[in-house]
């Protein structure tokens, strides 16, 4: 039954505070054990902290709203290519393959959340706010993961002809 289509896209509602579908999907990815209220509290705390940082910002090119920072961070973390392992004639090759839009978004979410959970010693909302803010400026652990993925794809582009 692999690859069967679910109704998750049609059932997804925009989040209550910002009325944004992408943020709603991100909250669902942050959620542990079905505790959506906790995930919402963490994400909204992070958005409030980002908004406070933006009010202190002096750069005229900086975004004005926390949702813009979140959107920019997701766009910056999205990978264009990734490597997939492919077995050809008894050897495994790391083949660079372009990433479709939906997978780009889910990888960006995953990398930001992993980077946030990897940092220790502070509340989740504070860590998430820092990671999103850094990703919006093309810095941070999630951006490093994306750059590493792109470097691997570049190093293995000689095997690109094995891609389907």
């Amino acid at each position: 039954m692999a690859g069967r289509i679910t109704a998750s896209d049609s059932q997804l509602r925009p989040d209550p505070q910002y009325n944004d579908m992408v943020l709603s999907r991100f909250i669902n990815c942050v959620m542990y054990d079905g505790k959506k209220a906790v995930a919402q509290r963490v994400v909204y705390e992070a958005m409030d902290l980002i908004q406070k940082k933006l009010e202190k910002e002096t750069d005229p090119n900086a975004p004005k709203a926390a949702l813009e920072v979140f959107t920019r961070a997701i766009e910056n973390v999205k990978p264009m290519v990734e490597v997939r392992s492919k077995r050809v004639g008894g050897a495994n090759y790391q083949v660079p393959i372009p990433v479709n839009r939906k997978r780009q978004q889910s990888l960006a979410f995953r990398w930001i959340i992993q980077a946030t959970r990897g940092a220790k010693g502070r509340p989740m909302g504070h860590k998430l706010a820092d990671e999103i803010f850094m990703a919006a400026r093309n810095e941070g652990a999630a951006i490093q993961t994306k750059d590493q993925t792109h470097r691997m794809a570049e190093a293995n582009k000689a095997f690109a002809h094995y891609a389907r």
Side-chain angles (χ1 to χ4, degrees), residues 15-153:
D15 76 290
Q17 191 167 335
Y18 293 93
N19 201 29
D20 187 58
M21 295 294 280
V22 177
L23 190 62
S24 179
R25 190 172 278 123
F26 184 74
I27 288 169
N28 287 344
C29 290
V30 170
M31 179 170 53
Y32 257 143
D33 292 333
K35 298 187 178 186
K36 191 164 196 161
V38 174
Q40 281 179 331
R41 196 173 329 122
V42 166
V43 172
Y44 291 151
E45 179 187 3
M47 297 298 266
D48 291 342
L49 289 168
I50 290 170
Q51 191 61 47
K52 286 178 185 170
K53 281 185 183 181
L54 287 177
E55 290 166 4
K56 296 175 186 172
E57 192 72 39
T58 57
D59 183 24
N61 296 336
K64 305 292 182 240
L67 192 61
E68 291 177 51
V69 173
F70 173 75
T71 307
R72 189 179 292 182
I74 296 299
E75 287 302 317
N76 288 347
V77 176
K78 282 182 180 179
M80 295 295 123
V81 289
E82 67 178 341
V83 290
R84 288 267 175 97
S85 188
K86 182 141 172 107
R87 187 169 177 85
V88 178
N92 285 325
Y93 296 110
Q94 295 290 320
V95 180
I97 294 177
V99 185
N100 69 24
R101 280 189 304 116
K102 191 155 185 159
R103 181 157 169 81
Q104 282 180 346
Q105 188 181 62
S106 49
L107 283 174
F109 288 172
R110 189 179 310 156
W111 292 342
I112 288 173
I113 293 168
Q114 278 178 347
T116 303
R117 289 185 178 143
K120 298 292 180 193
R122 293 174 33 231
M124 181 71 175
H126 292 268
K127 296 185 294 185
L128 184 60
D130 287 347
E131 189 60 41
I132 289 172
F133 204 74
M134 285 191 295
R137 293 185 300 178
N138 272 323
E139 302 170 357
I143 295 291
Q144 286 177 348
T145 307
K146 174 195 149 187
D147 291 342
Q148 185 177 6
T149 303
H150 280 215
R151 275 197 300 275
M152 282 179 62

